[in-house]
Amino acid sequence: MNWSEQVWNSISDKYQSILDMPFIKELTTGNLPKEKFQFYMAQDSLYLEHFGRALALIGARAHDVQDALSYMRFGENAIVVENALHDSYFKDFGVAEKGDIQPVCHHYVHYLKSTAALDPIEVGMAATLPCFWIYKEVGEFIARQEKVVDNPYQKWIDTYGGEDFAISVRQAIAMCDQVAANTTVAIRNKMSEAFVLASRLEYQFWEAAYDQKVWN
């Protein structure tokens, strides 16, 4: 069993809890209240700017030049392509501006950037992987459900449940497996810890959107 299989198995309960969240269930049926999706989109747009920077930093630090190029492209995609998609969502759902970064998003992006900057590069790669992989799995899970006519969130479902996104995710998983196979046991263990922690933050991000958590 390779590294990615091991760590995915280790978060199986957390992944199931994500699928069981009200946010995901109501997104699937199209019943998610508009204001909750608006909050999510604003925070996710802010998140992607920082996520893109973390990915670019990993690219700059990567040992392998092909990994470097891939992560720089991932960073560009997060900032340019996905933010363009978010702009269309802003228009569709009447979001005037992104607003301020809120607690869970703030914690998540600073964890990713500090890990990308200060930890071994393999650990940075592992920390950013759940954002790719969990979104792919959630998107594909929703896409397999009975399609709801006129679901206002269908564009989101099509994006993350589509093959174009899946290709990038599989590439990121393969690169993480490669560096995990070639590093020390100690660093591989730290990779696993980072993957698990980032997976927990994925859950908290959606929970915060549903509860619309803001600074006290």
Side-chain angles (χ1 to χ4, degrees):
M1 186 180 294
N2 59 26
W3 175 82
S4 64
E5 291 170 332
Q6 291 174 349
V7 293
W8 185 260
N9 287 341
S10 75
I11 65 154
S12 59
D13 290 347
K14 179 56 63 182
Y15 173 63
Q16 185 59 50
S17 70
I18 289 173
L19 297 182
D20 292 337
M21 298 180 80
F23 189 99
I24 300 302
K25 288 187 172 182
E26 293 172 17
L27 184 80
T28 302
T29 60
N31 294 323
L32 181 68
K34 180 180 176 180
E35 65 273 14
K36 296 183 186 295
F37 193 74
Q38 288 172 325
F39 184 97
Y40 163 77
M41 289 308 306
Q43 291 301 297
D44 199 44
S45 185
L46 290 165
Y47 168 87
L48 285 169
E49 294 179 14
H50 294 277
F51 185 58
R53 292 174 186 272
L55 293 169
L57 182 53
I58 290 170
R61 296 184 61 212
H63 305 308
D64 181 86
V65 69
Q66 292 304 316
D67 289 353
L69 290 171
S70 293
Y71 273 86
M72 289 175 186
R73 292 190 193 104
F74 290 159
E76 180 182 22
N77 185 66
I79 294 172
V80 177
V81 178
E82 294 209 41
N83 264 327
L85 185 64
H86 278 65
D87 287 343
S88 72
Y89 284 137
F90 279 20
K91 293 176 184 176
D92 292 345
F93 291 93
V95 179
E97 58 184 20
K98 298 176 184 179
D100 297 328
I101 191 168
Q102 297 301 333
V104 172
C105 182
H106 182 275
H107 176 48
Y108 195 0
V109 299
H110 281 78
Y111 167 68
L112 292 179
K113 289 196 296 186
S114 64
T115 303
L118 302 174
D119 280 287
I121 190 62
E122 299 89 348
V123 179
M125 292 169 69
T128 57
L129 186 58
C131 184
F132 285 103
W133 199 350
I134 290 176
Y135 265 68
K136 169 186 171 295
E137 295 296 330
V138 169
E140 290 178 350
F141 171 81
I142 297 174
R144 289 193 298 269
Q145 309 309 303
E146 184 175 353
K147 190 170 183 178
V148 175
V149 177
D150 296 328
N151 186 335
Y153 309 117
Q154 192 61 49
K155 188 188 296 184
W156 188 98
I157 297 167
D158 292 341
T159 297
Y160 293 108
E163 182 59 21
D164 287 346
F165 184 66
I167 291 170
S168 294
V169 176
R170 288 194 291 267
Q171 184 181 8
I173 293 170
M175 286 187 289
C176 284
D177 273 332
Q178 184 63 40
V179 298
N182 293 328
T183 193
T184 65
V185 172
I187 291 178
R188 191 157 52 246
N189 288 340
K190 286 186 175 293
M191 288 177 67
S192 299
E193 292 171 5
F195 184 89
V196 171
L197 178 54
S199 299
R200 291 174 178 155
L201 288 167
E202 283 293 322
Y203 176 93
Q204 291 183 7
F205 194 94
W206 272 315
E207 181 182 54
Y210 195 82
D211 295 339
Q212 296 177 270
K213 291 181 180 177
V214 298
W215 297 103
N216 292 329

